Amino acid sequence: FSAMFFSAPHNLLMPGISSGMHDGWETKRRRGPGHDWAIVRLGIAAHIQRVEVDTSFFKGNFPESCSLEICEVRDDAALDAVPWKEILHRTKLQADTQHVFDEALAHGQAATHVRLNIFPDGGVARLRVFGAPTRAGREAEALRLLNAMLEEEATAALKNCCGATHWARAMAAVRPFADAAQLRAAAEQCFEKLTREDWLESFRAHPRIGEKKTSAPADSQRWSEQEQAGARGADASTQAALAEANRAYEARFGHIFIICATGQTPAEMLAACRQRLANDPEKEIGIAAAELRRITQLRLEKLLQL
């Protein structure tokens, strides 16, 4: 911010409505060129859709006008070098008024920070910025939350992605993850350390194709239903054939048939199950493990978009 002669710009972000001039951001009168400004970091990267600039209680000392600029950076330290983009041209303000800007904003640009410029000085009670989080913003926030969890909380969240306890614990232990690529790479590294018993444990966390596993955590259940959406649309004869193939598979290999069902039709899953029945058990557990790895990577993507 440029100045805080009478009160701090942090007041712009206080909850609720202002209770007086002391409860907003007020700068002293300028006697030379220039204008006052304050930068706020958004709670999550977003496409801005509406902005409120509230001058409540500021009557003789409200700014003559304001403008808004945005930027997108990962680190606050880069703010000095980043180019700012104007989304609201300099616009006249009124005393003691809640100004709402929506149609006047330049839409379509992602932002992590907003700079409120007031001309030449004065007081603003509140600044509110509304928008739709970007995919990158949701991902960064989900990673921040995952990194901040207690170890047992992170382990439980990661077990929704892969039911192997050793894998989930290993993933929780190697936090923090700087980005999604590091999360995916860590998942693959932790997979390499799993034993046969770990894979079997992870298989047991999944429902059979076409069925629900009601004992699974809510996120895991929801993701399984999304992944198997194609199987639920199968006709009665295909569903019966899938159930029969599942039984034959379990009798031969001792664990459920695992396949990355996302985008697969019931007929394709049925054909894959019948084809894999011809494999020897050692080869098949390797194929099932590879399918589970694909499922886990897709679920990690979902975890980052919560």
Side-chain angles (χ1 to χ4, degrees):
F1 54 87
S2 61
M4 52 176 289
F5 187 77
F6 291 109
S7 51
H10 305 82
N11 289 343
L12 290 170
L13 308 182
M14 292 295 285
I17 61 175
S18 174
S19 60
M21 288 192 298
H22 66 283
D23 196 30
W25 172 45
E26 185 179 11
T27 67
K28 68 178 180 179
R29 292 296 187 191
R30 282 180 170 266
R31 297 294 183 242
H35 65 276
D36 286 322
W37 52 269
I39 296 172
V40 299
R41 178 168 52 83
L42 303 181
I44 187 169
H47 296 288
I48 296 173
Q49 299 169 331
R50 187 174 86 253
V51 174
E52 296 176 6
V53 178
D54 187 356
T55 60
S56 293
F57 298 103
F58 292 102
K59 298 177 181 179
N61 55 345
F62 66 98
E64 180 271 338
S65 56
C66 78
S67 69
L68 290 161
E69 298 171 295
I70 61 170
C71 70
E72 186 177 18
V73 295
R74 292 189 61 179
D75 187 352
D76 288 356
L79 288 173
D80 290 339
V82 71
W84 289 85
K85 303 172 186 176
E86 190 175 69
I87 61 166
L88 178 69
H89 298 306
R90 185 169 172 175
T91 302
K92 281 191 171 295
L93 297 177
Q94 298 178 14
D96 195 25
T97 300
Q98 185 183 64
H99 305 79
V100 178
F101 303 108
D102 42 31
E103 294 181 2
L105 298 177
H107 293 277
Q109 301 178 75
T112 55
H113 295 71
V114 172
R115 181 163 64 191
L116 170 66
N117 301 306
I118 57 174
F119 301 92
D121 49 44
V124 177
R126 295 288 187 267
L127 173 67
R128 300 285 188 242
V129 181
F130 302 87
T134 64
R135 180 180 179 85
R138 292 196 303 271
E139 184 176 283
E141 180 64 9
L143 272 174
R144 185 188 70 80
L145 292 172
L146 180 62
N147 289 336
M149 288 179 182
L150 297 175
E151 189 157 344
E152 59 267 29
E153 293 174 327
T155 299
L158 289 160
K159 279 198 73 174
N160 287 325
C161 301
C162 174
T165 302
H166 287 165
W167 178 88
R169 286 178 178 166
M171 287 287 288
V174 297
R175 294 172 301 153
F177 304 112
D179 51 35
Q182 190 179 93
L183 175 70
R184 289 191 291 268
E188 290 301 319
Q189 291 169 2
C190 292
F191 278 136
E192 297 300 328
K193 301 173 184 177
L194 297 188
T195 66
R196 178 186 178 86
E197 289 306 310
D198 293 325
W199 288 116
L200 292 176
E201 179 191 12
S202 66
F203 297 163
R204 290 193 293 270
H206 286 262
R208 296 181 180 89
I209 295 296
E211 297 181 3
K212 291 184 179 180
K213 195 174 185 70
T214 55
S215 61
D219 284 340
S220 183
Q221 281 190 53
R222 184 173 70 255
W223 293 340
S224 290
E225 290 174 12
Q226 292 169 355
E227 292 156 3
Q228 296 193 29
R232 291 197 302 276
D235 57 44
S237 61
T238 303
Q239 288 181 357
L242 270 170
E244 182 181 351
N246 276 330
R247 287 192 293 270
Y249 182 97
E250 290 182 47
R252 174 162 172 72
F253 299 114
H255 57 80
I256 70 167
F257 172 61
I258 293 288
I259 188 170
C260 184
T262 301
Q264 298 255 30
T265 67
E268 289 170 336
M269 289 184 277
L270 176 59
C273 186
R274 287 170 170 170
Q275 180 184 30
R276 285 165 56 180
L277 276 167
N279 293 332
D280 64 74
E282 196 61 32
K283 178 181 178 181
E284 180 54 27
I285 197 169
I287 293 173
E291 291 292 314
L292 190 83
R293 289 166 86 142
R294 291 176 59 200
I295 294 169
T296 301
Q297 289 290 3
L298 288 173
R299 289 191 174 190
L300 286 172
E301 290 296 323
K302 293 174 181 176
L303 181 68
L304 293 183
Q305 293 302 313
L306 291 178

